[in-house]
Amino acid sequence: MPSITREEVAHLARLARIELSDDELDHLAPQLDQIITLVGQVSQVAADDIPPTSHALPLTNVMRPDENVPCLTPEQALSGAPAAEEQRFRVPRILEED
Amino acid sequence: MSDLTRKTAAELAELMTSGQASSVEITQAHLDRIAAVDGAVHAFLHVDTEGALAQAKAVDDKRTAAKKSGEQLSPLAGVPLALKDVLTQEGVPTTAGSKILEGWKPPYDSTVVKRLKAAGIVILGKTNMDEFAMGSSTENSAYGTTHNPWDLARIPGGSGGGSSAAISAYEAPLAIGTDTGGSIRQPGAFTGTVGVKPTYGGTSRYGLIALASSLDTPGPCARTTLDAALLHEAIAGYDPMDSTSINQPVPAVVEAARNGDVAGLRIGVVKELGGEGYQSGVEARFHEAVELLTKLGAEVVEVSCPHFEYALPAYYLILPSEASSNLAKFDAMRYGLRVGDDGTNSAETVTSLTREAGFGAEVKRRIILGTHALSSGYYDAYYGQAQKVRTLIARDFAKAYEQVDVLVSPATPTTAFAIGDRIDDPIAMYKNDLCTIPSNLAGNAAASFPCGLADEDGLPVGFHVMAPVMRDDLLYKVGAALESALAEQWGGVLMTKAPELEVTR
């Protein structure tokens, strides 16, 4: 039995907001199955009492003084926008038609 | 004057200080070289001819003024450099090798770029890379593969293949790379050049388009150890704009590169990084280099790091998890590509269509893998367990550093492979980074130095050195010792053995 099915890959792609074609799914699903088998090797390590490391540095709550500093102008901030209107990012509508 | 593109960065700086060459002349020589060979190498995605020459002229003017005022210029002022296309440079196209960012011009400079500019280093252009730094060959770039100057039918390594190819093709004496799992060191090994991954937090990530935030580290690429150290010093150090930046002085890397005395240095050969799966020519050159260091007075012992064999699987859970989250920002709303905005489609549909069109296969693979690893029901078994393995790998390092000062291994199990060989076999591709990944997971400093050519294919082999956190100086000490001893044998650094590229203009 594969470690991940084609249907599961399609579901994950939807969660990750990537529209996949059937061809891509045919190609990706078996590759991901192989990769998941590889990464699953981590379960062979006995690590129940080992604390997790999320980060190489033991840093917590890095703070800086709360000071006003110059920031991007509206023109700079919008310079890469796919669409802009009235000094704002123009986005497609948020709600689907019912 | 002899060809300026064959000089090291340190030599070029000397020529400018003594008034024998200007930065404009040096920059122009490199731009000419790019025009002549980059058609074959394809190291650059964008060449900023105008910007580079303007920057060079500004340095020359500053030098003239400084002669009167007695002001000191930075050691690398006026020296040209190639910048990996993953770091933002204001007003210069920055794509991270992806279609989703095609044509994007960042409105700000990354900290690395700010420091390069402050040091008077001239940025020639942006170099090719695997899309979002996901890959080991540049074949995942949306803009075509870079060719290895040692053999144009082969990959230059990745993800920073463009940066390493640029310096080994003499298109630039210096380059910037970023290393998340080996993306500076592996291309360094494959192109016969020096590649250094500083301690995580030793160089700033501000303005680096993130792949995996807990691993990404910018660093220097050069043809000599001293040049790498000079560049390291120019870009490293505390940055309040990066919350994971280390607030400590930069290790004395330049001094270490100039001194290179390994007498009494304790070196540990990692037992687990060798044997089956390692090319014989790679192992032969590696062991000769270890012998050489012994002759130079280093004390060499074998060291076991039993959890390193789980570094690759742990990495391919941690990296995709972080990447799937970091790349969520490419939603077609604020910058980059937008597809399907026809007035009918919803924002969510537009996002999905854009990501389908804008991301390449490897990026999709890793985002989906990361989404899976982080999903409820799998989190503990995958991401959670990988984080525990990460602890065990860091402990392996800590235990080893009780016995030795540095650890060594080959930089890669094989030499550069042929273009197309591994592109549809993700697991074979991932195994390129077997030796380099542990240092990313633990956050310590590591580097690859050229140590010869493999007998079977005549291609460069990298010698990998791993040093404790904030002991980046030790890397340069070993690299410099090896470099001068090998140069004595060869009559020059390894790069002098590289074949001449055909000049097309």
Side-chain angles (χ1 to χ4, degrees), chain A residues 30-71:
Chain A
Q31 285 179 338
L32 280 164
D33 178 46
Q34 278 180 27
I35 296 168
I36 287 166
T37 306
L38 170 87
V39 298
Q41 288 172 17
V42 293
S43 65
Q44 296 165 8
V45 183
D48 282 352
D49 52 347
I50 304 296
T53 298
S54 63
H55 215 270
L57 298 172
L59 292 171
T60 45
N61 296 339
V62 176
M63 309 290 264
R64 60 171 170 77
D66 186 16
E67 287 163 355
N68 286 334
V69 289
C71 63

Side-chain angles (χ1 to χ4, degrees), chain B residues 382-460:
Chain B
Y382 288 142
Y383 186 64
Q385 178 73 4
Q387 287 185 309
K388 292 177 173 187
V389 171
R390 190 170 183 181
T391 306
L392 291 168
I393 288 162
R395 287 183 183 176
D396 278 0
F397 272 114
K399 203 164 157 237
Y401 289 135
E402 285 171 13
Q403 297 176 59
V404 296
D405 300 309
V406 295
L407 294 169
V408 298
S409 74
T412 54
T414 69
T415 54
F417 45 92
I419 291 171
D421 251 15
R422 301 187 189 174
I423 189 62
D424 218 28
D425 185 351
I427 291 175
M429 191 67 94
Y430 295 171
K431 285 186 175 167
N432 276 300
D433 297 331
L434 221 47
C435 307
T436 47
I437 281 173
S439 293
N440 295 90
L441 291 175
N444 56 33
S448 174
F449 300 98
C451 68
L453 304 176
D455 292 327
E456 54 274 21
D457 53 22
L459 291 167

Side-chain angles (χ1 to χ4, degrees), chain B residues 223-483:
Chain B
R223 290 190 296 266
T224 69
T225 305
L226 177 61
D227 282 3
L230 289 166
L231 181 56
H232 188 139
E233 199 170 65
I235 61 167
Y238 178 63
D239 177 18
M241 297 299 279
D242 175 356
S243 64
T244 60
S245 181
I246 297 177
N247 194 355
Q248 282 176 34
V250 178
V253 291
V254 173
E255 195 189 310
R258 288 193 199 278
N259 140 325
D261 179 9
V262 292
L265 191 77
R266 297 169 305 164
I267 295 178
V269 176
V270 181
K271 196 173 91 181
E272 286 78 9
L273 300 179
E276 204 196 315
Y278 286 73
Q279 198 178 316
S280 67
V282 169
E283 292 220 285
R285 291 299 92 80
F286 169 71
H287 288 295
E288 283 166 19
V290 171
E291 282 288 300
L292 200 54
L293 290 167
T294 311
K295 276 190 201 139
L296 295 170
E299 296 167 23
V300 177
V301 293
E302 194 179 74
V303 169
S304 174
C305 295
H307 296 97
F308 278 19
E309 79 171 283
Y310 297 103
L312 188 76
Y315 176 84
Y316 276 102
L317 286 165
I318 291 167
L319 177 134
S321 297
E322 292 191 25
S324 68
S325 159
N326 274 329
L327 270 62
K329 66 174 162 282
F330 297 102
D331 57 6
M333 299 301 142
R334 289 150 300 161
Y335 39 72
L337 187 69
R338 180 182 285 182
V339 172
D341 184 12
D342 60 359
T344 328
N345 285 328
S346 69
E348 199 176 306
T349 304
V350 167
T351 298
S352 299
L353 290 169
T354 302
R355 288 160 69 84
E356 158 67 354
F359 288 148
E362 180 64 13
V363 175
K364 289 173 184 166
R365 267 196 290 271
R366 293 200 197 181
I367 289 176
I368 291 171
L369 180 61
T371 307
H372 183 55
L374 292 176
S375 53
S376 64
Y378 292 102
Y379 184 94
D380 289 342
Y382 288 142
Y383 186 64
Q385 178 73 4
Q387 287 185 309
K388 292 177 173 187
V389 171
R390 190 170 183 181
T391 306
L392 291 168
I393 288 162
R395 287 183 183 176
D396 278 0
F397 272 114
K399 203 164 157 237
Y401 289 135
E402 285 171 13
Q403 297 176 59
V404 296
D405 300 309
V406 295
L407 294 169
V408 298
S409 74
T412 54
T414 69
T415 54
F417 45 92
I419 291 171
D421 251 15
R422 301 187 189 174
I423 189 62
D424 218 28
D425 185 351
I427 291 175
M429 191 67 94
Y430 295 171
K431 285 186 175 167
N432 276 300
D433 297 331
L434 221 47
C435 307
T436 47
I437 281 173
S439 293
N440 295 90
L441 291 175
N444 56 33
S448 174
F449 300 98
C451 68
L453 304 176
D455 292 327
E456 54 274 21
D457 53 22
L459 291 167
V461 176
F463 186 82
H464 189 220
V465 188
M466 296 160 269
V469 167
M470 290 311 265
R471 289 310 308 274
D472 307 43
D473 51 319
L474 293 176
L475 306 174
Y476 290 98
K477 196 183 244 210
V478 176
L482 197 60
E483 183 177 274

Side-chain angles (χ1 to χ4, degrees), chain B residues 96-284:
Chain B
S98 182
K99 281 282 175 214
I100 214 161
L101 277 178
E102 190 166 18
W104 183 58
K105 289 181 182 168
Y108 70 105
D109 279 337
S110 54
T111 295
V112 167
V113 165
K114 267 194 197 124
R115 291 189 179 175
L116 292 171
K117 287 181 174 175
I121 296 170
V122 174
I123 303 172
L124 295 168
K126 310 296 293 283
T127 57
N128 196 18
M129 56 184 283
D130 288 292
E131 184 175 5
F132 290 110
M134 298 187 196
S136 310
S137 69
T138 71
E139 290 167 295
N140 294 330
S141 167
Y143 304 99
T145 303
T146 299
H147 298 255
N148 190 324
W150 286 77
D151 176 352
L152 294 172
R154 295 186 187 248
I155 59 96
S159 65
S163 284
S164 293
I167 52 174
S168 87
Y170 296 99
E171 294 172 301
L174 299 171
I176 293 289
T178 59
D179 194 311
T180 305
S183 289
I184 290 175
R185 292 163 287 162
Q186 183 253 15
F190 282 2
T191 57
T193 58
V194 177
V196 179
K197 180 198 96 69
T199 296
Y200 176 84
T203 45
S204 170
R205 290 186 296 106
Y206 180 71
L208 192 181
I209 299 169
L211 168 54
S213 305
S214 82
L215 306 166
D216 297 343
T217 313
C221 313
R223 290 190 296 266
T224 69
T225 305
L226 177 61
D227 282 3
L230 289 166
L231 181 56
H232 188 139
E233 199 170 65
I235 61 167
Y238 178 63
D239 177 18
M241 297 299 279
D242 175 356
S243 64
T244 60
S245 181
I246 297 177
N247 194 355
Q248 282 176 34
V250 178
V253 291
V254 173
E255 195 189 310
R258 288 193 199 278
N259 140 325
D261 179 9
V262 292
L265 191 77
R266 297 169 305 164
I267 295 178
V269 176
V270 181
K271 196 173 91 181
E272 286 78 9
L273 300 179
E276 204 196 315
Y278 286 73
Q279 198 178 316
S280 67
V282 169
E283 292 220 285

Side-chain angles (χ1 to χ4, degrees), chain A residues 8-10 12 18 23 32 35 38 40 52 54 60 64 76 81 94:
Chain A
E8 284 172 305
V9 174
L12 289 164
I18 300 174
D23 281 355
L32 280 164
I35 296 168
L38 170 87
S54 63
T60 45
R64 60 171 170 77
Q76 286 174 319
I94 305 296

